[in-house]
């Protein structure tokens, strides 16, 4: 056992030294790549090459910041004569959090007069930009940006509009629109409405990112909680809770709904983490028990371990760890094997503190009548890395033979000791 531990320590030390040399070599290669892009590609006579270069410089800056990149992008914004290169350089500057006046002017003009796809791309760049709080809120560019964003929000379909009533009109029979013409016009109106809604949604998210507090922004984000896509709902929740400090019962309900039913695990984890920010509002609205029950189900019912770990952190941040542990421990003595399995899966996330709880789990591993519950105990000790003598002995006993429990015991034994038998 001792020799095995020493061998692992030596191997890990060697791998650490190799990783340091590898990281140093990667850093030198990245710096060489940056200098090549700045000194050669950025001075190319081909506009497409310069456009791709300023885009790559913005991406490389995020992995390894370098002032030479910022200076090169600023020089491009002030000296280049191609509009597409100017827009791409301005996007890179904004993405890395450099709020240059010339770059902002170019982006504002592109948002005002650009195409639908270009507007969408620029709004997405502004939403994901670094350090939006450092932008000067008293500058002319910020006031113009605020006006453009609010104007885009007002075009969304969430704002009720009155249909203009027109008087009787005379149409020449030869100019009467056919059924195909009416269908084409309806399709065009539907597409135009969808484009306006997409721009309004991203404009509202950009306003929240820049801490622009306005009733129209909040109304648009609340509308997205009901009718938006899953990504828009997740982004709107984060914006309302953490940026605009909007903690209404509607937001709490949407947060709980997304935590339970969102398809993407990132969206479920983000919704669960927002509960910590909504703690006071949850207590004021009498939803504490509902939230507690939802977190309890998420501990064992979610398919992603990352989400369940996020839920465990939320439980600890809310001060509910002891209460949740009591509920989980009571499940271990339940008659139903599914309930006992849920308790074991919850313990694998909450953690085991104390010998009594560990002994109870080992008794389940040794004496429980359900193979499903025993397998969950094996997975729990493997995930919690419990290399106790009694655990190893029981795993070795269960590893002999065939069947699903034998395979699970072999996997747990190998993860804890490196042995298979």
């Amino acid at each position: 056992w001792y020799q095995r531990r020493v061998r692992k320590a030596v191997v890990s030390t060697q791998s650490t030294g190799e990783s340091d040399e590898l990281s140093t070599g990667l850093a030198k290669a990245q710096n060489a790549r940056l200098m090549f892009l700045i000194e050669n590609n950025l001075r190319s006579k081909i506009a497409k090459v310069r456009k791709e270069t300023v885009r790559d410089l913005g991406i490389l800056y995020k992995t390894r910041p370098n002032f030479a990149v910022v200076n090169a992008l600023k020089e491009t914004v002030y000296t280049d004569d191609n509009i597409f290169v100017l827009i791409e350089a301005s996007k890179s500057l904004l993405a890395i959090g450099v709020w240059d006046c010339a770059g902002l002017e170019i982006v504002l003009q592109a948002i005002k007069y650009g195409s639908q796809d270009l507007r969408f791309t620029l709004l997405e760049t502004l939403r994901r930009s670094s350090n939006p709080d450092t932008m000067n809120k008293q500058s002319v560019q910020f006031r113009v940006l605020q006006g453009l964003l609010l104007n885009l929000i007002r075009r969304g379909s969430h704002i009720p509009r009155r249909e203009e009533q027109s008087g009787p009109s005379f149409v020449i029979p030869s100019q009467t629109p056919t059924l195909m013409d009416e269908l084409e016009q309806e399709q065009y109106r539907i597409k135009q409405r969808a484009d306006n809604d997409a721009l309004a949604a991203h404009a509202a998210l950009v306003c929240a990112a820049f801490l622009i507090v306005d009733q129209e922004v909040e109304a648009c984000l609340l509308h997205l909680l009901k009718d938006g896509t899953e990504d828009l709902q997740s982004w709107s929740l984060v914006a309302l809770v953490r940026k605009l400090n909007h903690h209404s019962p509607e937001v709490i309900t949407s947060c709980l709904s997304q935590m339970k039913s969102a398809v993407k695990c990132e969206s479920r984890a983000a919704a669960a983490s927002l509960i910590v920010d909504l703690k006071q509002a949850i207590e004021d609205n009498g939803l504490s028990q509902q939230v507690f029950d939802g977190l309890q189900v998420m501990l064992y019912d979610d398919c992603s371990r990352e989400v369940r770990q996020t839920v465990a952190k939320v439980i600890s941040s809310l001060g509910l760890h002891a209460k949740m542990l009591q509920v989980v421990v009571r499940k271990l003595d339940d008659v139903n094997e599914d309930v006992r399995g849920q308790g074991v899966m919850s313990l694998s996330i909450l953690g085991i503190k104390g010998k009594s709880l560990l002994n109870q789990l080992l008794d389940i591993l040794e004496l429980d009548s359900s193979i499903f519950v025993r397998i969950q105990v094996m997975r729990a000790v493997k995930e919690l890395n419990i290399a106790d003598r009694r655990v190893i002995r029981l795993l070795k006993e269960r590893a002999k033979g065939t069947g699903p429990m034998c395979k699970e015991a072999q996997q747990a034994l190998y993860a804890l000791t490196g042995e298979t038998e």
Side-chain angles (χ1 to χ4, degrees):
W1 175 83
Y2 178 74
Q3 292 177 353
R4 208 164 43 243
R5 292 289 183 182
V6 171
R7 189 159 51 249
K8 286 184 178 180
V10 172
V11 171
S12 63
T13 305
Q14 292 176 352
S15 62
T16 302
E18 293 175 357
S19 63
D20 292 341
E21 294 178 359
L22 183 61
S23 61
T24 304
L26 288 175
K28 291 181 180 179
Q30 278 191 342
N31 288 332
R33 175 64 175 164
L34 282 177
M35 293 301 105
F36 178 81
L37 290 175
I38 293 173
E39 296 173 1
N40 295 278
N41 292 11
L42 202 56
R43 298 176 183 177
S44 174
K45 295 181 180 180
I46 304 175
K48 186 177 180 180
V49 174
R50 299 198 305 274
K51 177 184 175 181
E52 294 177 352
T53 301
V54 293
R55 183 196 61 195
D56 294 342
L57 287 175
I59 297 173
L60 291 173
Y61 181 88
K62 292 182 178 180
T63 58
R64 189 171 294 274
N66 194 326
F67 285 109
V69 174
V70 178
N71 295 332
L73 291 175
K74 285 185 176 180
E75 183 181 355
T76 303
V77 168
Y78 282 96
T79 59
D80 205 283
D81 56 352
N82 187 280
I83 184 60
F84 298 105
V85 178
L86 293 175
I87 292 175
E88 199 66 39
S90 302
K91 283 172 55 180
S92 296
L93 281 175
L94 299 185
I96 64 180
V98 178
W99 306 104
D100 185 73
C101 294
L104 276 172
E105 288 286 350
I106 294 171
V107 169
L108 292 175
Q109 293 298 320
I111 292 176
K112 189 173 183 180
Y113 300 109
S115 63
Q116 187 81 6
D117 293 337
L118 180 59
R119 287 179 176 181
F120 185 83
T121 304
L122 293 175
L123 289 176
E124 189 68 11
T125 302
L126 288 172
R127 187 184 70 83
R128 296 185 176 184
S129 60
S130 302
N131 305 321
D133 300 337
T134 59
M135 184 179 180
N136 183 14
K137 302 298 190 296
Q138 305 300 325
S139 62
V140 177
Q141 290 83 7
F142 181 78
R143 291 198 293 271
V144 174
L145 175 62
Q146 181 177 355
L148 287 175
L149 293 175
L150 293 177
N151 187 30
L152 290 175
I153 292 174
R154 295 187 186 105
R155 296 182 183 180
S157 61
H158 64 283
I159 298 178
R161 291 179 175 83
R162 295 181 180 178
E163 296 183 359
E164 296 182 359
Q165 297 180 356
S166 57
S169 59
F170 176 76
V171 180
I172 300 175
S174 60
Q175 296 180 353
T176 303
T178 62
L179 180 60
M180 291 299 298
D181 294 336
E182 294 179 354
L183 288 176
E184 289 178 358
Q185 293 177 2
E186 183 65 23
Q187 289 178 355
Y188 175 78
R189 284 194 293 268
I190 292 174
K191 183 179 181 302
Q192 192 71 20
R193 191 183 306 116
D195 293 341
N196 290 337
D197 288 344
L199 287 177
H202 283 78
L205 292 170
V206 173
C207 287
F210 285 91
L211 301 180
I212 299 176
V213 181
D214 191 274
Q215 291 183 354
E216 295 178 346
V217 176
E218 292 186 0
C220 183
L221 293 176
L222 290 173
H223 173 75
L224 291 177
L225 293 181
K226 300 177 181 178
D227 299 332
T229 62
E230 182 178 317
D231 288 334
L232 289 176
Q233 289 178 358
S234 179
W235 298 336
S236 301
L237 270 178
V238 175
L240 285 168
V241 175
R242 292 183 176 169
K243 295 293 185 179
L244 303 181
N245 199 27
H246 188 95
H247 298 170
S248 64
E250 183 180 359
V251 172
I252 298 173
T253 304
S254 299
C255 185
L256 293 176
S257 176
Q258 186 176 10
M259 183 183 69
K260 297 177 183 177
S261 58
V263 177
K264 295 182 179 179
C265 59
E266 295 85 0
S267 301
R268 298 196 302 273
S273 61
L274 290 177
I275 293 179
V276 178
D277 302 293
L278 295 169
K279 178 181 179 180
Q280 188 61 44
I282 290 172
E283 294 176 355
D284 294 341
N285 290 279
L287 299 174
S288 300
Q289 188 60 41
Q290 182 180 351
V291 172
F292 181 84
D293 295 338
L295 294 174
Q296 178 189 346
V297 173
M298 291 289 292
L299 276 177
Y300 64 84
D301 192 50
D302 199 274
C303 59
S304 172
R305 181 168 177 80
E306 289 75 15
V307 176
R308 289 187 285 147
Q309 288 175 342
T310 303
V311 171
K313 293 178 182 178
V314 170
I315 291 171
S316 300
S317 300
L318 295 175
L320 300 174
H321 187 274
K323 181 181 178 182
M324 186 67 72
L325 197 61
Q326 291 177 359
V327 175
V328 170
V329 170
R330 283 199 297 268
K331 288 185 176 183
L332 299 178
D333 299 326
D334 197 276
V335 179
N336 191 342
E337 63 173 298
D338 292 333
V339 177
R340 295 199 303 275
Q342 294 169 6
V344 175
M345 286 187 283
S346 300
L347 279 178
S348 68
I349 300 298
L350 291 175
I352 299 174
K353 296 181 180 179
K355 287 284 185 179
S356 60
L357 190 54
L358 177 60
N359 292 334
Q360 188 174 359
L361 275 183
L362 295 180
D363 290 339
I364 293 174
L365 177 59
E366 188 173 8
L367 304 173
D368 200 278
S369 59
S370 172
I371 296 178
F372 169 73
V373 178
R374 290 185 179 186
I375 289 176
Q376 297 306 322
V377 174
M378 294 176 189
R379 293 177 180 176
V381 296
K382 179 180 66 174
E383 292 172 354
L384 296 174
N385 197 24
I386 303 176
D388 188 82
R389 293 180 180 179
R390 189 180 172 190
V391 173
I392 303 301
R393 179 179 62 80
L394 290 174
L395 289 177
K396 286 183 177 180
E397 293 177 359
R398 299 296 179 273
K400 298 176 182 179
T402 58
M405 190 167 62
C406 174
K407 293 181 180 180
E408 196 68 40
Q410 291 175 357
Q411 293 177 3
L413 191 62
Y414 181 77
L416 294 175
T417 64
E419 301 177 357
T420 56
E421 294 182 359

